[in-house]
Coordinates of all heavy atoms in Angstrom, one line a residue:
M1 N 76.3 91.3 86.2 CA 77.0 92.0 87.3 C 78.1 92.8 86.7 O 78.9 92.3 85.8 CB 77.6 90.9 88.3 CG 78.4 91.6 89.4 SD 79.1 90.4 90.6 CE 77.6 89.7 91.2
P2 N 78.2 94.1 87.1 CA 79.3 95.0 86.5 C 80.7 94.5 86.8 O 80.9 93.9 87.9 CB 79.0 96.3 87.1 CG 77.6 96.2 87.7 CD 77.3 94.8 88.0
K3 N 81.6 94.7 86.0 CA 83.0 94.4 86.2 C 83.6 95.3 87.1 O 83.1 96.4 87.4 CB 83.7 94.3 84.9 CG 83.2 93.2 83.9 CD 84.1 93.1 82.7 CE 83.5 92.1 81.9 NZ 84.2 90.8 81.9
G4 N 84.7 95.0 87.7 CA 85.5 95.9 88.6 C 86.8 96.3 87.9 O 87.3 95.5 87.1
Y5 N 87.3 97.5 88.2 CA 88.5 98.0 87.5 C 89.4 98.6 88.5 O 89.0 99.3 89.5 CB 88.1 99.0 86.5 CG 87.3 98.4 85.4 CD1 85.9 98.5 85.5 CD2 87.8 97.9 84.2 CE1 85.1 98.0 84.5 CE2 87.0 97.4 83.3 CZ 85.6 97.4 83.4 OH 84.8 96.8 82.4
W6 N 90.7 98.4 88.2 CA 91.7 99.3 88.9 C 92.1 100.3 87.8 O 92.4 100.0 86.7 CB 93.0 98.5 89.2 CG 92.9 97.5 90.3 CD1 91.8 97.0 91.0 CD2 94.0 96.8 90.9 NE1 92.2 96.1 91.9 CE2 93.5 96.0 91.9 CE3 95.3 96.9 90.7 CZ2 94.3 95.1 92.6 CZ3 96.2 96.0 91.4 CH2 95.7 95.2 92.4
V7 N 92.1 101.6 88.2 CA 92.6 102.6 87.3 C 93.8 103.4 88.1 O 93.5 103.8 89.2 CB 91.4 103.6 87.0 CG1 92.0 104.7 86.1 CG2 90.3 102.9 86.4
A8 N 94.9 103.3 87.5 CA 96.1 103.8 88.2 C 96.8 104.8 87.3 O 96.9 104.6 86.1 CB 97.0 102.7 88.6
H9 N 97.3 105.8 87.9 CA 98.2 106.8 87.2 C 99.5 106.8 88.0 O 99.5 107.2 89.2 CB 97.6 108.2 87.1 CG 96.2 108.2 86.5 ND1 96.1 108.1 85.1 CD2 95.0 108.1 86.9 CE1 94.8 108.2 84.7 NE2 94.1 108.0 85.8
V10 N 100.6 106.6 87.4 CA 101.9 106.3 88.0 C 103.1 107.0 87.4 O 103.2 107.0 86.2 CB 102.1 104.7 88.1 CG1 103.4 104.4 88.8 CG2 101.0 104.0 88.6
D11 N 103.9 107.5 88.2 CA 105.2 108.0 87.8 C 106.3 107.0 88.4 O 106.2 106.8 89.6 CB 105.5 109.4 88.4 CG 104.7 110.5 87.8 OD1 104.3 110.4 86.6 OD2 104.4 111.5 88.5
V12 N 107.1 106.5 87.5 CA 108.1 105.5 87.9 C 109.4 106.2 88.0 O 109.9 106.8 87.1 CB 108.1 104.3 86.9 CG1 109.2 103.3 87.3 CG2 106.8 103.6 86.9
D13 N 110.0 106.1 89.2 CA 111.4 106.7 89.4 C 112.5 105.8 89.0 O 113.6 106.2 88.7 CB 111.5 107.1 90.8 CG 110.4 108.1 91.3 OD1 110.1 109.0 90.5 OD2 109.9 107.9 92.4
D14 N 112.3 104.5 89.1 CA 113.4 103.5 88.8 C 112.7 102.3 88.0 O 112.3 101.4 88.7 CB 114.0 103.0 90.1 CG 115.2 102.1 89.9 OD1 115.3 101.5 88.8 OD2 116.0 102.0 90.9
M15 N 112.8 102.4 86.7 CA 112.2 101.3 85.9 C 112.8 99.9 86.1 O 112.1 98.9 86.0 CB 112.2 101.7 84.4 CG 111.3 100.8 83.6 SD 109.6 100.5 84.1 CE 108.8 102.0 83.5
V16 N 114.1 99.9 86.4 CA 114.7 98.6 86.6 C 114.2 97.9 87.8 O 113.7 96.7 87.8 CB 116.2 98.7 86.7 CG1 116.9 97.5 87.2 CG2 116.8 99.3 85.4
R17 N 114.0 98.6 88.9 CA 113.4 98.0 90.1 C 111.9 97.9 90.0 O 111.4 96.9 90.6 CB 113.8 98.9 91.3 CG 115.3 98.8 91.7 CD 115.7 99.6 92.9 NE 114.9 99.3 94.1 CZ 114.7 100.2 95.1 NH1 115.3 101.3 95.0 NH2 114.1 99.9 96.1
Y18 N 111.2 98.7 89.2 CA 109.8 98.6 89.0 C 109.5 97.3 88.3 O 108.4 96.7 88.6 CB 109.3 99.8 88.2 CG 107.8 99.9 88.0 CD1 107.0 100.4 89.0 CD2 107.2 99.4 86.9 CE1 105.6 100.6 88.9 CE2 105.8 99.6 86.7 CZ 105.1 100.1 87.7 OH 103.7 100.2 87.6
K19 N 110.4 96.8 87.5 CA 110.1 95.5 86.8 C 110.1 94.3 87.9 O 109.4 93.3 87.6 CB 111.2 95.2 85.8 CG 111.1 96.2 84.6 CD 112.1 95.9 83.5 CE 112.0 97.0 82.4 NZ 113.0 96.9 81.4
D20 N 110.7 94.5 89.0 CA 110.5 93.5 90.0 C 109.1 93.4 90.5 O 108.5 92.3 90.8 CB 111.4 93.8 91.3 CG 112.9 93.6 90.9 OD1 113.2 92.9 90.0 OD2 113.8 94.3 91.7
Y21 N 108.5 94.6 90.6 CA 107.0 94.7 91.0 C 106.2 94.0 89.9 O 105.2 93.2 90.2 CB 106.6 96.1 91.2 CG 105.1 96.3 91.1 CD1 104.2 95.9 92.0 CD2 104.6 97.0 90.0 CE1 102.9 96.0 91.9 CE2 103.2 97.2 89.9 CZ 102.4 96.7 90.9 OH 101.0 96.9 90.7
V22 N 106.4 94.3 88.6 CA 105.7 93.7 87.5 C 105.8 92.2 87.5 O 104.8 91.5 87.4 CB 106.2 94.3 86.2 CG1 105.6 93.6 85.0 CG2 105.9 95.8 86.1
A23 N 107.0 91.7 87.8 CA 107.1 90.2 87.9 C 106.4 89.6 89.1 O 105.7 88.6 89.0 CB 108.6 89.8 88.0
A24 N 106.4 90.4 90.2 CA 105.8 89.8 91.4 C 104.2 89.9 91.4 O 103.6 89.2 92.0 CB 106.3 90.6 92.6
N25 N 103.7 90.9 90.6 CA 102.2 91.0 90.6 C 101.6 90.0 89.6 O 100.4 89.9 89.6 CB 101.8 92.4 90.3 CG 102.0 92.9 88.8 OD1 102.0 92.1 87.9 ND2 102.2 94.2 88.7
A26 N 102.4 89.3 88.9 CA 101.8 88.3 87.9 C 101.0 87.2 88.6 O 99.9 86.9 88.1 CB 102.9 87.7 87.1
A27 N 101.5 86.7 89.7 CA 100.8 85.7 90.4 C 99.4 86.1 90.9 O 98.4 85.4 90.7 CB 101.6 85.1 91.5
P28 N 99.3 87.2 91.7 CA 98.0 87.6 92.2 C 97.1 88.0 91.1 O 95.9 87.7 91.1 CB 98.3 88.8 93.1 CG 99.7 89.2 92.9 CD 100.4 88.0 92.3
F29 N 97.6 88.6 90.0 CA 96.7 88.9 88.9 C 96.2 87.7 88.2 O 95.0 87.7 87.8 CB 97.4 89.8 87.9 CG 97.7 91.3 88.4 CD1 98.5 92.1 87.7 CD2 97.0 91.8 89.4 CE1 98.8 93.4 88.2 CE2 97.2 93.0 89.9 CZ 98.1 93.9 89.3
A30 N 97.0 86.7 88.1 CA 96.5 85.4 87.5 C 95.5 84.8 88.4 O 94.4 84.3 87.9 CB 97.6 84.5 87.2
E31 N 95.7 84.8 89.7 CA 94.8 84.2 90.6 C 93.4 84.8 90.7 O 92.4 84.2 90.8 CB 95.4 84.3 92.1 CG 94.6 83.8 93.1 CD 95.2 84.0 94.6 OE1 96.3 84.4 94.7 OE2 94.4 83.7 95.6
F32 N 93.4 86.2 90.5 CA 92.1 86.9 90.6 C 91.6 87.3 89.1 O 90.6 87.9 89.1 CB 92.3 88.2 91.4 CG 92.4 87.9 92.8 CD1 93.7 87.7 93.4 CD2 91.4 87.7 93.7 CE1 93.9 87.4 94.8 CE2 91.5 87.5 95.0 CZ 92.8 87.3 95.6
G33 N 92.2 86.6 88.1 CA 91.6 86.8 86.8 C 91.7 88.2 86.2 O 90.9 88.6 85.4
A34 N 92.8 88.9 86.6 CA 93.0 90.3 86.1 C 93.3 90.3 84.6 O 94.0 89.4 84.1 CB 94.1 91.0 86.9
R35 N 92.8 91.3 83.9 CA 93.1 91.5 82.5 C 93.4 92.9 82.2 O 92.6 93.9 82.6 CB 91.9 91.1 81.7 CG 92.1 91.2 80.2 CD 91.0 90.5 79.4 NE 89.8 91.4 79.3 CZ 89.5 92.1 78.3 NH1 90.3 92.1 77.2 NH2 88.4 92.9 78.3
F36 N 94.6 93.1 81.7 CA 95.1 94.5 81.4 C 94.3 95.0 80.2 O 94.3 94.4 79.1 CB 96.6 94.6 81.1 CG 97.4 94.5 82.4 CD1 97.8 93.3 83.0 CD2 97.8 95.6 83.1 CE1 98.5 93.2 84.1 CE2 98.5 95.6 84.3 CZ 98.9 94.3 84.8
L37 N 93.7 96.2 80.4 CA 93.1 96.9 79.2 C 94.0 98.0 78.7 O 94.1 98.3 77.5 CB 91.8 97.5 79.6 CG 90.7 96.5 80.1 CD1 89.4 97.2 80.5 CD2 90.4 95.4 79.1
V38 N 94.7 98.6 79.7 CA 95.7 99.7 79.4 C 96.9 99.4 80.3 O 96.8 99.3 81.5 CB 95.1 101.1 79.6 CG1 96.2 102.2 79.4 CG2 93.9 101.3 78.8
R39 N 98.1 99.5 79.7 CA 99.4 99.3 80.4 C 100.4 100.2 79.8 O 101.2 99.7 79.0 CB 99.8 97.8 80.4 CG 100.8 97.5 81.4 CD 101.0 95.9 81.5 NE 101.7 95.5 82.6 CZ 101.9 94.3 82.9 NH1 101.6 93.3 82.1 NH2 102.5 94.0 84.1
G40 N 100.4 101.4 80.2 CA 101.3 102.4 79.6 C 100.8 102.7 78.3 O 99.6 102.9 78.1
G41 N 101.7 102.8 77.3 CA 101.3 103.1 75.9 C 101.2 104.6 75.6 O 101.3 105.4 76.5
Q42 N 101.0 104.8 74.3 CA 100.9 106.2 73.8 C 99.7 106.9 74.3 O 98.6 106.2 74.4 CB 100.9 106.1 72.3 CG 100.9 107.5 71.6 CD 101.0 107.3 70.1 OE1 101.7 106.5 69.6 NE2 100.2 108.1 69.4
K43 N 99.8 108.2 74.7 CA 98.6 108.9 75.2 C 98.8 110.4 74.9 O 99.9 110.8 74.6 CB 98.4 108.6 76.7 CG 99.3 109.3 77.6 CD 98.9 109.1 79.0 CE 99.9 109.7 80.0 NZ 99.4 109.5 81.3
E44 N 97.7 111.1 74.9 CA 97.7 112.5 74.7 C 96.8 113.1 75.7 O 95.6 112.9 75.7 CB 97.3 112.9 73.3 CG 97.3 114.4 73.0 CD 96.9 114.6 71.6 OE1 97.5 114.0 70.7 OE2 96.0 115.5 71.4
V45 N 97.3 113.9 76.7 CA 96.4 114.5 77.7 C 95.8 115.7 77.1 O 96.4 116.6 76.6 CB 97.3 114.9 79.0 CG1 96.4 115.6 80.0 CG2 98.0 113.7 79.5
R46 N 94.4 115.7 77.1 CA 93.6 116.7 76.5 C 93.1 117.7 77.6 O 92.8 118.8 77.2 CB 92.4 116.1 75.7 CG 92.8 115.3 74.6 CD 93.4 116.2 73.5 NE 93.7 115.5 72.3 CZ 93.1 115.5 71.2 NH1 92.0 116.3 71.0 NH2 93.5 114.9 70.1
E47 N 93.0 117.2 78.8 CA 92.5 118.1 79.8 C 93.1 117.8 81.2 O 93.4 116.6 81.4 CB 90.9 118.0 80.0 CG 90.2 118.5 78.8 CD 88.7 118.5 79.0 OE1 88.2 118.6 80.2 OE2 88.0 118.3 78.0
G48 N 93.4 118.8 82.0 CA 93.9 118.5 83.3 C 95.4 118.0 83.3 O 96.1 118.2 82.4
Q49 N 95.7 117.3 84.4 CA 97.1 116.8 84.6 C 97.0 115.3 84.9 O 95.9 114.8 85.4 CB 97.8 117.5 85.7 CG 98.0 118.9 85.6 CD 98.6 119.6 86.8 OE1 99.6 119.1 87.3 NE2 98.0 120.6 87.3
T50 N 98.0 114.6 84.6 CA 98.0 113.2 84.9 C 99.5 112.8 85.1 O 100.4 113.6 84.9 CB 97.4 112.3 83.8 OG1 97.2 111.0 84.3 CG2 98.1 112.4 82.5
R51 N 99.7 111.5 85.5 CA 101.1 111.1 85.6 C 101.5 110.4 84.3 O 100.8 110.3 83.4 CB 101.1 110.1 86.8 CG 100.8 110.8 88.1 CD 100.9 109.8 89.3 NE 100.5 110.5 90.5 CZ 101.3 111.2 91.3 NH1 102.6 111.4 90.9 NH2 100.9 111.7 92.4
A52 N 102.8 110.0 84.3 CA 103.4 109.5 83.1 C 102.8 108.3 82.6 O 102.8 108.0 81.4 CB 104.9 109.3 83.3
R53 N 102.3 107.4 83.4 CA 101.9 106.1 83.0 C 100.5 105.8 83.6 O 100.2 106.1 84.7 CB 102.9 105.1 83.7 CG 102.7 103.6 83.3 CD 103.9 102.8 84.0 NE 103.7 101.4 83.8 CZ 104.0 100.7 82.7 NH1 104.5 101.3 81.7 NH2 103.8 99.4 82.7
T54 N 99.6 105.3 82.7 CA 98.2 104.9 83.0 C 98.1 103.5 82.9 O 98.5 102.9 81.9 CB 97.2 105.7 82.1 OG1 97.4 107.1 82.4 CG2 95.8 105.3 82.5
V55 N 97.4 102.9 83.9 CA 97.1 101.4 83.8 C 95.7 101.2 84.2 O 95.2 101.7 85.2 CB 98.0 100.6 84.8 CG1 97.7 99.2 84.8 CG2 99.5 100.9 84.5
V56 N 95.0 100.3 83.4 CA 93.6 100.0 83.7 C 93.5 98.5 83.6 O 93.9 97.9 82.7 CB 92.6 100.5 82.6 CG1 91.2 100.1 83.0 CG2 92.7 102.1 82.6
I57 N 93.1 97.9 84.8 CA 93.0 96.4 84.9 C 91.5 96.1 85.1 O 90.9 96.6 86.0 CB 93.9 95.9 86.0 CG1 95.4 96.4 85.7 CG2 93.8 94.4 86.1 CD1 96.2 96.1 87.0
E58 N 91.0 95.0 84.4 CA 89.7 94.6 84.5 C 89.6 93.3 85.4 O 90.4 92.4 85.2 CB 89.1 94.4 83.2 CG 87.7 93.9 83.2 CD 87.2 93.7 81.8 OE1 87.6 92.6 81.2 OE2 86.5 94.5 81.2
F59 N 88.6 93.2 86.2 CA 88.3 92.0 87.0 C 86.8 91.6 86.8 O 86.0 92.5 86.3 CB 88.5 92.3 88.5 CG 89.9 92.6 88.8 CD1 90.4 93.9 88.7 CD2 90.7 91.6 89.3 CE1 91.7 94.2 89.1 CE2 92.0 91.8 89.7 CZ 92.6 93.1 89.5
R60 N 86.5 90.4 87.1 CA 85.1 89.9 86.8 C 84.1 90.7 87.5 O 82.9 90.9 87.0 CB 85.0 88.4 87.1 CG 85.0 88.0 88.5 CD 84.8 86.5 88.6 NE 85.2 86.1 89.9 CZ 86.3 85.5 90.2 NH1 87.1 85.3 89.2 NH2 86.6 85.2 91.5
D61 N 84.4 91.3 88.7 CA 83.4 92.2 89.4 C 84.2 93.0 90.4 O 85.4 92.9 90.6 CB 82.4 91.3 90.1 CG 82.9 90.2 91.1 OD1 83.9 90.5 91.7 OD2 82.3 89.1 91.0
Y62 N 83.4 93.9 91.0 CA 84.1 94.9 91.9 C 84.7 94.2 93.2 O 85.7 94.5 93.6 CB 83.0 95.9 92.4 CG 83.4 97.0 93.3 CD1 84.3 97.9 92.9 CD2 82.8 97.1 94.6 CE1 84.6 99.0 93.8 CE2 83.1 98.1 95.4 CZ 84.1 99.1 95.1 OH 84.4 100.1 95.9
A63 N 84.0 93.2 93.7 CA 84.4 92.5 94.9 C 85.8 91.7 94.6 O 86.7 91.7 95.4 CB 83.4 91.5 95.4
T64 N 85.9 91.2 93.4 CA 87.1 90.5 93.0 C 88.3 91.6 92.9 O 89.4 91.3 93.4 CB 87.0 89.8 91.7 OG1 85.9 88.8 91.9 CG2 88.2 89.0 91.3
A65 N 88.0 92.7 92.3 CA 89.0 93.8 92.2 C 89.6 94.2 93.6 O 90.8 94.3 93.8 CB 88.4 95.0 91.5
K66 N 88.6 94.3 94.6 CA 89.0 94.7 95.9 C 89.8 93.5 96.6 O 90.8 93.8 97.3 CB 87.8 95.1 96.7 CG 87.2 96.4 96.3 CD 86.1 97.0 97.3 CE 85.2 95.9 97.8 NZ 84.3 96.5 98.8
A67 N 89.3 92.3 96.4 CA 90.0 91.1 97.0 C 91.4 91.0 96.5 O 92.3 90.6 97.3 CB 89.2 89.9 96.8
C68 N 91.6 91.3 95.2 CA 93.0 91.1 94.7 C 93.9 92.2 95.4 O 95.0 91.8 95.8 CB 93.0 91.3 93.2 SG 94.6 91.2 92.4
Y69 N 93.4 93.4 95.4 CA 94.3 94.5 96.1 C 94.6 94.1 97.5 O 95.7 94.3 98.0 CB 93.6 95.8 96.0 CG 94.4 96.9 96.5 CD1 95.3 97.6 95.7 CD2 94.3 97.4 97.8 CE1 96.2 98.6 96.2 CE2 95.1 98.3 98.3 CZ 96.1 99.0 97.5 OH 96.8 100.0 98.0
D70 N 93.6 93.6 98.2 CA 93.8 93.3 99.6 C 94.5 92.0 99.9 O 94.9 91.7 101.1 CB 92.4 93.2 100.4 CG 91.8 94.6 100.4 OD1 92.4 95.6 100.3 OD2 90.5 94.5 100.5
S71 N 94.8 91.2 98.9 CA 95.4 89.9 99.1 C 96.9 90.1 99.6 O 97.6 91.1 99.3 CB 95.4 89.1 97.8 OG 96.3 89.6 96.8
V72 N 97.4 89.1 100.3 CA 98.7 89.1 100.8 C 99.7 89.1 99.6 O 100.7 89.8 99.6 CB 99.0 87.9 101.8 CG1 100.5 87.8 102.1 CG2 98.1 88.0 103.0
S73 N 99.5 88.3 98.6 CA 100.3 88.2 97.5 C 100.5 89.5 96.7 O 101.5 90.0 96.3 CB 100.0 87.1 96.5 OG 98.7 87.3 96.0
Y74 N 99.4 90.3 96.6 CA 99.5 91.6 95.9 C 100.2 92.6 96.8 O 101.0 93.4 96.4 CB 98.1 92.1 95.4 CG 98.4 93.5 94.7 CD1 99.0 93.5 93.5 CD2 98.2 94.7 95.4 CE1 99.3 94.7 92.9 CE2 98.5 95.9 94.8 CZ 99.1 95.9 93.6 OH 99.5 97.0 93.0
Q75 N 99.9 92.6 98.1 CA 100.5 93.5 99.0 C 102.0 93.3 99.0 O 102.8 94.3 99.2 CB 99.9 93.4 100.4 CG 98.4 94.0 100.4 CD 98.4 95.4 100.1 OE1 99.2 96.3 100.6 NE2 97.5 95.8 99.2
D76 N 102.4 92.0 99.0 CA 103.9 91.8 98.9 C 104.5 92.4 97.6 O 105.6 93.0 97.7 CB 104.1 90.2 98.9 CG 103.9 89.6 100.3 OD1 103.7 90.4 101.3 OD2 103.8 88.3 100.3
A77 N 103.8 92.3 96.5 CA 104.2 92.9 95.2 C 104.2 94.4 95.4 O 105.2 95.1 94.9 CB 103.3 92.5 94.1
K78 N 103.2 95.0 96.0 CA 103.1 96.4 96.1 C 104.3 97.0 96.9 O 104.7 98.1 96.7 CB 101.7 96.7 96.8 CG 101.5 98.2 97.0 CD 100.1 98.4 97.7 CE 99.9 99.8 98.1 NZ 100.8 100.4 99.0
A79 N 104.7 96.2 97.9 CA 105.9 96.6 98.7 C 107.1 96.9 97.9 O 108.0 97.6 98.2 CB 106.1 95.6 99.8
L80 N 107.2 96.2 96.8 CA 108.3 96.4 95.8 C 108.1 97.6 95.0 O 109.1 98.3 94.6 CB 108.5 95.2 94.9 CG 108.8 93.8 95.6 CD1 108.6 92.7 94.5 CD2 110.2 93.9 96.2
R81 N 106.8 98.0 94.7 CA 106.5 99.1 93.9 C 106.7 100.5 94.7 O 107.2 101.5 94.1 CB 105.1 99.0 93.4 CG 104.7 100.1 92.4 CD 103.2 100.2 92.2 NE 102.6 100.8 93.4 CZ 101.4 100.5 93.8 NH1 100.6 99.7 93.1 NH2 100.9 101.2 94.9
D82 N 106.2 100.4 95.9 CA 106.1 101.7 96.7 C 107.4 102.6 96.7 O 107.3 103.7 96.5 CB 105.6 101.4 98.1 CG 104.2 101.1 98.1 OD1 103.4 101.3 97.1 OD2 103.7 100.5 99.1
P83 N 108.6 101.9 96.9 CA 109.8 102.8 97.0 C 110.3 103.4 95.7 O 111.1 104.3 95.7 CB 110.9 101.8 97.6 CG 110.2 100.6 98.0 CD 108.9 100.6 97.3
V84 N 109.8 102.9 94.6 CA 110.3 103.3 93.2 C 109.3 104.0 92.4 O 109.5 104.3 91.2 CB 110.9 102.1 92.5 CG1 112.1 101.5 93.3 CG2 109.9 101.0 92.2
S85 N 108.1 104.3 92.9 CA 107.1 105.0 92.1 C 106.1 105.8 93.0 O 106.1 105.6 94.2 CB 106.3 104.0 91.3 OG 105.5 103.1 92.1
T86 N 105.5 106.6 92.4 CA 104.4 107.5 93.0 C 103.2 107.4 92.2 O 103.2 107.5 90.9 CB 104.8 109.0 93.1 OG1 106.1 109.1 93.8 CG2 103.9 109.8 93.9
G87 N 102.0 107.2 92.8 CA 100.8 107.1 92.0 C 99.5 107.3 92.7 O 99.5 107.5 93.9
D88 N 98.5 107.3 91.9 CA 97.1 107.4 92.3 C 96.4 106.2 91.7 O 96.5 105.9 90.6 CB 96.5 108.7 91.8 CG 97.3 109.9 92.2 OD1 97.4 110.2 93.4 OD2 97.8 110.6 91.3
M89 N 95.6 105.6 92.6 CA 94.9 104.4 92.1 C 93.6 104.3 92.8 O 93.4 104.6 94.0 CB 95.7 103.1 92.4 CG 95.3 101.9 91.7 SD 93.9 101.0 92.4 CE 94.8 99.8 93.3
E90 N 92.5 103.9 92.0 CA 91.2 103.7 92.5 C 90.7 102.4 92.0 O 91.1 101.9 90.9 CB 90.3 104.8 92.2 CG 90.0 105.0 90.7 CD 89.2 106.2 90.4 OE1 88.5 106.8 91.2 OE2 89.3 106.6 89.2
I91 N 89.8 101.8 92.8 CA 89.1 100.6 92.4 C 87.7 101.1 92.1 O 87.1 101.7 93.0 CB 89.2 99.5 93.5 CG1 90.6 99.1 93.8 CG2 88.3 98.3 93.1 CD1 90.8 98.1 94.9
I92 N 87.1 100.8 91.0 CA 85.9 101.3 90.6 C 85.0 100.3 90.0 O 85.5 99.4 89.3 CB 86.1 102.6 89.6 CG1 84.8 103.3 89.4 CG2 86.8 102.1 88.4 CD1 85.0 104.6 88.8
E93 N 83.7 100.4 90.2 CA 82.8 99.4 89.6 C 82.4 99.9 88.2 O 82.1 101.1 88.0 CB 81.5 99.3 90.5 CG 80.5 98.3 90.0 CD 79.3 98.3 91.0 OE1 78.7 99.3 91.3 OE2 79.0 97.1 91.4
G94 N 82.4 99.0 87.3 CA 81.9 99.4 85.9 C 80.5 99.7 85.8 O 79.7 99.5 86.8
Y95 N 80.1 100.2 84.7 CA 78.7 100.6 84.4 C 78.0 99.5 83.8 O 78.4 98.9 82.8 CB 78.7 101.9 83.6 CG 77.3 102.4 83.2 CD1 76.5 103.0 84.1 CD2 76.8 102.1 82.0 CE1 75.3 103.5 83.8 CE2 75.5 102.6 81.6 CZ 74.8 103.2 82.5 OH 73.6 103.7 82.2
G96 N 76.8 99.1 84.3 CA 76.0 98.1 83.6 C 76.4 96.7 83.9 O 77.2 96.5 84.8
S97 N 75.9 95.8 83.1 CA 76.3 94.4 83.3 C 77.2 93.8 82.3 O 77.5 94.4 81.3 CB 75.1 93.6 83.4 OG 74.2 93.8 82.2

């Protein structure tokens, strides 16, 4: 079964307050078995435009990726992120098994 992924591109306006979101998302990510593949880091944009920060999170499957996002515990964490950042995020099914 293909894995599920969150792919996010984010601009953070207040890194101090954003760290509250990072602390709060630890519990739902642990609960749903999330694994960070990319979390910020050095990058070079070769085509098009993107935001300052890129995050890729892997889940055991697409359904689990969606369930994590929809969970009360993640939505509570997201409420801390929304006022201090702007972003684009998609949940996507991986290729193959």
Side-chain angles (χ1 to χ4, degrees):
M1 176 178 299
K3 295 188 183 256
Y5 299 90
W6 289 12
V7 180
H9 301 281
V10 182
D11 291 328
V12 177
D13 301 319
D14 183 340
M15 188 53 82
V16 172
R17 290 180 54 205
Y18 188 82
K19 289 179 182 181
D20 294 336
Y21 160 71
V22 172
N25 71 30
F29 287 164
E31 177 184 350
F32 288 92
R35 184 169 78 99
F36 283 90
L37 301 179
V38 176
R39 194 173 197 177
Q42 183 175 320
K43 71 177 181 180
E44 182 177 309
V45 177
R46 294 291 182 108
E47 295 184 29
Q49 299 178 51
T50 189
R51 296 186 182 274
R53 186 173 172 83
T54 299
V55 179
V56 179
I57 305 171
E58 180 182 77
F59 295 85
R60 71 176 163 261
D61 56 38
Y62 181 65
T64 302
K66 292 191 316 179
C68 181
Y69 185 85
D70 294 336
S71 71
V72 171
S73 57
Y74 181 73
Q75 290 300 309
D76 288 347
K78 181 181 174 301
L80 298 171
R81 185 196 73 205
D82 287 343
V84 298
S85 68
T86 304
D88 305 297
M89 197 275 268
E90 62 186 344
I91 299 173
I92 188 165
E93 185 177 54
Y95 178 76
S97 54

